[in-house]
Amino acid sequence: MIRRTVAAAALLCTPLRAEAHAFQAGQEGYDLFVQGVAQPWLALPTALVLVGTGLLLAIWREEGMLAGWPVLAVCAAIGFGLGPLVPPVGVVALAAFALAVGGLGILAPRLPGPGVLAMAGGAMLLSARYLMEDHPMGDLPLPFLLGMAGGALAAVGLPAGVVQASRTLTEAPWVLIFWRALASWVAAVAVLMVAFTLRGAT
């Protein structure tokens, strides 16, 4: 049983880098957009750091996502628009940032606003650069880029919305305790991801 559990954890936490984006001739803009939306969710490192960011924002303040939207939108535009101009982001760097986001999610109610917003912006920038892979400027179709940006924003907004809704429905202390515990799981998965990635590199 223990071996099976470890094997399952290894399979889950081993980041499988998506194959380079390929497009069939004649694909319409809507198809490219939908394909782009899926990319942040299909790549475990980006899904982890973005979902963790959503938790962080909504644990920090009940309407933390409203404060974070402008920062996230600007960083998404910069990351997906100018990403190829900066060096690539590796799995370990992204997972390490997810670890930081998850750890801060536990302490979020006591964190200063500028620090939380800076972490949210950093998460979006790193995720965007990771998703751009090695494509040069102008290589990816605009609908696909817009889809990836929308998918990345949704990966932050959806968990933040769930947390905000639960906090609106009840002020019971266990609500925040539950979400902070979930943020700790984000950090735990990030640790496993780093460990399995470094183990595979040796």
Side-chain angles (χ1 to χ4, degrees):
M1 178 64 71
I2 295 177
R3 290 182 179 179
R4 291 180 181 178
T5 303
V6 173
L11 181 62
L12 175 64
C13 297
T14 301
L16 302 176
R17 184 68 179 247
E19 297 181 2
H21 307 306
F23 308 99
Q24 299 177 359
Q27 276 190 312
E28 297 182 356
Y30 176 77
D31 295 328
L32 291 171
F33 179 83
V34 172
Q35 186 180 351
V37 169
Q39 298 307 307
W41 299 92
L42 294 176
L44 180 57
T46 57
L48 190 66
V49 72
L50 293 174
V51 169
T53 299
L55 295 176
L56 171 63
L57 285 169
I59 293 172
W60 166 58
R61 293 287 186 273
E62 185 173 328
E63 297 183 352
M65 191 63 196
L66 293 178
W69 265 123
V71 175
L72 291 168
V74 170
C75 289
I78 293 173
F80 288 108
L82 304 178
L85 300 180
V86 298
V89 174
V91 172
V92 173
L94 202 56
F97 203 87
L99 171 60
V101 167
L104 290 175
I106 305 172
L107 308 172
R110 298 188 293 272
L111 295 178
V116 173
L117 297 178
M119 289 296 294
M124 183 59 70
L125 286 172
L126 291 176
S127 297
R129 183 61 191 94
Y130 180 85
L131 290 169
M132 291 294 292
E133 299 182 349
D134 299 322
H135 293 280
M137 184 76 74
D139 186 46
L140 296 176
L142 181 59
F144 185 82
L145 284 173
L146 293 175
M148 285 203 296
L153 290 170
V156 179
L158 287 177
V162 173
V163 176
Q164 179 180 344
S166 67
R167 296 186 64 179
T168 302
L169 290 173
T170 176
E171 297 181 358
W174 64 265
V175 174
L176 267 184
I177 293 174
F178 173 81
W179 293 118
R180 292 166 75 180
L182 189 60
S184 72
W185 275 99
V186 170
V189 174
V191 169
L192 290 175
M193 187 183 299
V194 171
F196 283 115
T197 301
L198 294 179
R199 180 181 179 183
T202 58

